[in-house]
Amino acid sequence: GNAVTFSAADLGEAPKSGASFVWKGAKLSAAALSVGVGLAVQFLIPCPAAVAPQAWTLLAIFLSTITGLVLTPLPVGAWAFLGLSTTVVTKTLTFQQAFSAMTNDVIWLIVLAFFFAKGFVQTGLGDRVATFFVKTMGKSTLGLSYGLSISEALLAPAMPSTTARAGGVYLPIIKSLAKNAGSEPGPTANKLGAFLIQTQLQSSGHSSAMCMTAAAQNLLSLKLAASLGVVIASPWLTWFKAACVPAIVGLAVTPLLVFKLMPPEIQDTPEAPLEAAKKLEKLGPLSQDETMVVVTMGLTVLLWIFGDKIGMSSVTAAMLGMSLQLFTGVITWADCLNEKGAWDTLLWFAVLIGMSAQLNQLGFISFLSDTVAGALAKTAMGWQQTFVLLHACYFGIHYLFASQTAQVAALSTAFMAMMIASGAPPMLAGLTMAFHTNLFGAITHYASGQGAVYFGAGFVDLPTTFKLGGILGIVNVLIWGVVGGAWWKVIGLY
């Protein structure tokens, strides 16, 4: 080996061995705060008579875990593992209970979604679809943004990870379009790049909410609704029927609104369609791998839509599609192993879902929803007012969460239970909570995976991100509340 020797002089004044201790672990202040929350619940707040002590301890650990996801004393997966270990060490849960959510079908569907997205990105198929829309609609800046948003809405049901669509397909395309127009992060960002980034990010909420399989959190929301007894027959079609109208309105309004709030300096992009046409010509016909992705994903999506008829669940369809992709070599096992995000999500997500499911089983969620519903009943509010109030709270709370799926895992069950307890139609509560989680994915740079991806590109500064995110977040909720509300009345959801 190449042994490297240093003399003491090279290192400057070497501290005495005793004084050289450097803490390399968790951020201590964040860790202390996170753990403090749990300790306060466990030891300072008396456990209500109606709640089992075991459930109360679990609540304390759960709250510490969630606070840690917000304050990040350690990476998300590591902190979740600490929380999981705590439940087992304190004998609050058995090993089997603690790990019970590892077999949750939705979590595996999310893992498979990461792999599917990889296929779209690696073979260049996602890129080709988006480029086609640039060629067709990209003469003006506004047209360009509509082309990209519409193509995302079409890719979404087959690519159930908004983050993967953002990072794998749309960010690279937007970067190259901006670069061609002489717009780079920094002083020239507002020429074109910043506008395209923001429209894509803000529109992605609507394309994710339009189809059940367009985002990971959608499937999770429905799974949690089912744990409260809200079972939706032929979920894909029911979801689409309820979501298509507000989603289409949202996709129509968003680019225009961003255009007004943050006008790009370049209004016409005559070069973009020509560049796109050249690029498509260079790409030539569909490659063998792309064709295989089209075939396997086409089959998977068909099974997602009509699987109910033959008794095939979403995750089974995804497993079949993934098996075909592995067998035909579209994606290799090494690709799957390298997809770190998938395995990380599997762990921290299973921890949160597991804890929240155990809280539900131990009767804490029903205790909470009955207590709140009882308090609301005293105020003589109808279920409609309670429903609106709870949705408003759910939206505001997202400023504390660094992930849409994390908020669903932590709060969705309790919020749905409170709505149903106050008299809201279960189906309406289940679907609207699932839709809602997509609508605040762009309110901050940490609100969602895609938010982080687009912010990381460096085109938009923080104040603008928060300002636009806030305005458009509220507009999203209004579109879904008013247009959606009217539409759901028409189709008889309430």
Side-chain angles (χ1 to χ4, degrees), residues 195-379:
F195 166 74
L196 288 181
I197 291 267
Q198 273 299 328
T199 40
Q200 202 60 31
L201 171 61
Q202 299 296 343
S203 303
S204 68
H206 299 290
S207 42
S208 297
M210 190 171 353
C211 298
M212 178 182 93
T213 49
Q217 61 271 12
N218 294 352
L219 303 145
L220 184 63
S221 298
L222 290 187
K223 172 92 181 176
L224 295 176
S227 76
L228 295 173
V230 184
V231 181
I232 298 170
S234 55
W236 206 98
L237 293 166
T238 309
W239 177 296
F240 184 73
K241 187 171 132 189
C244 61
V245 173
I248 289 166
V249 173
L251 286 170
V253 170
T254 305
L256 257 178
L257 207 60
V258 178
F259 195 76
K260 287 275 175 286
L261 291 170
M262 194 175 133
E265 289 159 23
I266 298 177
Q267 307 270 327
D268 295 303
T269 48
E271 298 302 311
L274 303 173
E275 292 282 338
K278 267 189 217 144
K279 185 167 157 187
L280 285 172
E281 203 170 300
K282 204 168 87 192
L283 284 173
L286 281 181
S287 69
Q288 175 189 331
D289 281 350
E290 283 177 296
T291 312
M292 287 314 300
V293 172
V294 172
V295 172
T296 51
M297 283 316 301
L299 176 70
T300 309
V301 173
L302 272 174
L303 288 172
W304 276 337
I305 299 174
F306 300 113
D308 261 35
K309 307 271 183 291
I310 55 169
M312 182 179 277
S313 71
S314 302
V315 71
T316 319
M319 286 165 71
L320 179 63
M322 192 69 242
S323 303
L324 289 170
Q325 290 199 356
L326 283 166
F327 186 75
T328 53
V330 175
I331 190 167
T332 64
W333 186 239
D335 292 332
C336 295
L337 290 176
N338 285 335
E339 198 55 47
K340 288 204 189 83
W343 303 108
D344 188 35
T345 305
L346 170 70
L347 186 102
W348 70 259
F349 216 43
V351 172
L352 276 190
I353 302 292
M355 286 192 197
S356 112
Q358 291 296 330
L359 278 175
N360 194 13
Q361 276 181 359
L362 293 168
F364 178 77
I365 303 281
S366 56
F367 161 78
L368 179 73
S369 58
D370 292 346
T371 314
V372 175
L376 290 172
K378 287 199 185 76
T379 61

Side-chain angles (χ1 to χ4, degrees), residues 49-232:
V51 178
Q54 180 195 2
W56 195 248
T57 308
L58 182 58
L59 175 71
I61 299 171
F62 184 57
L63 292 174
S64 277
T65 310
I66 288 179
T67 313
L69 295 191
V70 176
L71 302 176
T72 57
L74 282 172
V76 177
W79 189 254
F81 186 77
L82 264 66
L84 179 76
S85 305
T86 311
T87 59
V88 182
V89 172
T90 57
K91 296 198 165 56
T92 310
L93 296 177
T94 64
F95 184 88
Q96 275 66 27
Q97 285 173 319
F99 278 88
S100 58
M102 286 284 178
T103 57
N104 181 317
D105 52 352
V106 172
I107 296 179
W108 282 97
L109 191 51
I110 293 168
V111 171
L112 291 167
F114 276 94
F115 301 157
F116 281 139
K118 187 129 189 169
F120 270 97
V121 175
Q122 270 189 340
T123 58
L125 182 64
D127 193 21
R128 182 191 291 267
V129 173
T131 308
F132 171 77
F133 276 88
V134 173
K135 178 182 150 185
T136 337
M137 302 177 68
K139 280 201 177 57
S140 71
T141 308
L142 196 58
L144 196 58
S145 66
Y146 274 109
L148 290 168
S149 301
I150 292 168
S151 67
E152 174 160 14
L154 293 178
L155 271 182
M159 210 172 166
S161 160
T162 323
T163 314
R165 294 196 299 271
V169 179
Y170 289 95
L171 185 59
I173 287 183
I174 290 172
K175 273 183 165 167
S176 76
L177 286 167
K179 199 172 170 179
N180 287 346
S183 173
E184 301 265 359
T188 57
N190 288 336
K191 274 187 169 176
L192 181 66
F195 166 74
L196 288 181
I197 291 267
Q198 273 299 328
T199 40
Q200 202 60 31
L201 171 61
Q202 299 296 343
S203 303
S204 68
H206 299 290
S207 42
S208 297
M210 190 171 353
C211 298
M212 178 182 93
T213 49
Q217 61 271 12
N218 294 352
L219 303 145
L220 184 63
S221 298
L222 290 187
K223 172 92 181 176
L224 295 176
S227 76
L228 295 173
V230 184
V231 181
I232 298 170

Side-chain angles (χ1 to χ4, degrees), residues 416-487:
M416 281 189 276
M418 289 188 264
M419 286 175 189
I420 295 166
S422 73
M427 182 89 133
L428 183 72
L431 283 174
T432 53
M433 282 296 289
F435 298 156
H436 187 160
T437 306
N438 294 295
L439 306 181
F440 49 49
I443 58 175
T444 59
H445 60 303
Y446 57 84
S448 61
Q450 63 274 21
V453 165
Y454 286 129
F455 178 73
F459 282 94
V460 187
D461 61 6
L462 262 186
T464 315
T465 303
F466 270 81
K467 189 185 98 183
L468 268 174
I471 296 170
L472 282 146
I474 291 166
V475 169
N476 285 352
V477 174
L478 287 175
I479 289 173
W480 284 75
V482 177
V483 178
W487 172 243

